[in-house]
Amino acid sequence: MKSKKVSYADLARYCNFSKTTISRYFSNPDSLTLENQEKIREAVETLGYQENKIAKILPSGHTEFIGLIIPNLYMPYYSEVMHHLLSSYSTYGYKFLVFEGQSDIELERKYIRELSAYNVEGIITLSHTISSKEYASYDIPIVAIEREDEFISSVHNDNYMGGIQATSLLYKSDCDILFFIDSTPYGATRSAYYSKDKHSYSYGRLNGFKYVCNEKNMPNEVIIQDLGLSYEEYSENIPKIIDDIAKRYPGKRKGIFCANDTFANISLLHLLRAYGNFPDDFRIVGYDGSPISAQAIIPFSTVGQQLDQITKSAMEILVAQIKGRHRRIPEELPIRHEVIAPILINRATTQKETPNIAGAK
């Protein structure tokens, strides 16, 4: 037989308290003495009470949900960020409603309307499709991670320093010429990459690359093309760039700085297929420190983002905004921008001794 659901009234009778006191235990436990808190906690365990979240949401309007908008799930970086955010439940008590933006601005706006309908407490966005100015107009706590952020709070990796670290590593790996490879944002022109995305992660990485090349008087090329919007398109277009580089610079050691680990892994796989091993005249560095960099056939060098720190800072900023909205007299907190230091990870693809598949570490 189905057992009867334990109610506030049952807990009140068991403890000889009022239902108001029981309600305070769940909504504001610090308003009760430690002795009374312990009595109610014991009653909850003994009677097997399960809190009714819906009943709690209706009068308070506090859903304990946060919306998360990511561009895609085929890039390991976004999956790893999502993992860290979902794991924050034990610390902050918030659940996530996750949407994949797919670089579709109207679809993303539909998602925001959907999240608003669910009365989410706030939004964390990693998508670049909608401007920060538009996000700010939605009048909801919002924090961006690694994207344009002029009008909203954000957390970033120090991409300029990361670009310097990656390029310096290639320079020290006896390269004759260096390359920076990235895709134009969402079909934009090359000029838009420089003008529109000055606040983006790629712009900082590119500037770090250019700084080291200028300081060291190092021959270099910046290759920024529309590489597509899917893993399949990346896998088709990036090998063409690698083949062209190999054809134009025979006999020279070529250092490739890819703007993310996905591009670096595709470049590495293409070279392994083309040569049967990692050729001595190539060096590769990726960016993000995602699991794929360590799990590749030959683990490749990368600049690691401290995603545990980035996601922790994002949650702290967002929770502070949410609490400000929940105060008796609501308080709008000022925009905050946090920057987290990157960590260089030196692996087989930048070592002076050419790695082979069997002996790669």
Side-chain angles (χ1 to χ4, degrees), residues 122-137:
I123 293 175
I124 292 178
T125 179
L126 287 84
S127 175
H128 303 253
T129 311
I130 292 178
S131 70
S132 66
K133 187 174 184 179
E134 180 175 337
Y135 265 120
S137 71

Side-chain angles (χ1 to χ4, degrees), residues 169 173 299-302 343-351 361:
L169 179 60
S173 299
F300 57 85
S301 299
T302 185
I343 298 175
L344 182 66
I345 304 172
N346 187 359
R347 295 196 180 109
T349 57
T350 48
Q351 293 175 1
K361 295 183 181 179

Side-chain angles (χ1 to χ4, degrees), residues 38 94-96 130 141 165 178 187 203 208 250 266 276 318:
E38 180 60 26
Y94 286 95
K95 286 80 67 179
F96 287 85
I130 292 178
Q165 291 175 334
L178 303 184
Y203 192 83
I266 291 172
L318 190 65

Side-chain angles (χ1 to χ4, degrees), residues 10-118:
D10 297 321
L11 293 173
R13 280 192 295 270
Y14 187 92
C15 299
N16 198 26
F17 291 153
S18 68
K19 285 196 292 183
T20 301
T21 301
I22 301 299
S23 177
R24 285 166 54 201
Y25 172 80
F26 290 101
S27 62
N28 186 20
D30 291 338
S31 65
L32 303 177
T33 65
L34 293 176
E35 181 182 358
N36 287 348
Q37 288 183 46
E38 180 60 26
K39 285 182 180 179
I40 297 173
R41 186 197 64 77
E42 180 187 343
V44 167
E45 292 185 359
T46 302
L47 299 180
Y49 173 80
Q50 291 188 344
E51 188 176 5
N52 186 335
K53 289 286 187 179
I54 300 299
K56 182 179 179 181
I57 288 170
L58 290 175
S60 68
H62 301 168
T63 63
E64 299 177 356
F65 277 108
I66 289 173
L68 174 60
I69 300 177
I70 57 176
N72 60 68
L73 282 171
Y74 57 78
M75 280 192 167
Y77 168 77
Y78 295 122
S79 301
E80 192 70 5
V81 170
M82 185 170 70
H83 162 71
H84 282 280
L85 287 172
L86 295 181
S87 300
S88 72
Y89 174 77
S90 59
T91 302
Y92 301 102
Y94 286 95
K95 286 80 67 179
F96 287 85
L97 297 176
V98 183
F99 288 98
E100 187 180 11
Q102 302 173 29
S103 304
D104 185 328
I105 192 167
E106 291 306 323
L107 182 63
E108 195 164 314
R109 285 169 176 154
K110 179 181 178 181
Y111 291 157
I112 294 173
R113 290 194 296 270
E114 188 81 1
L115 291 169
S116 297
Y118 276 97

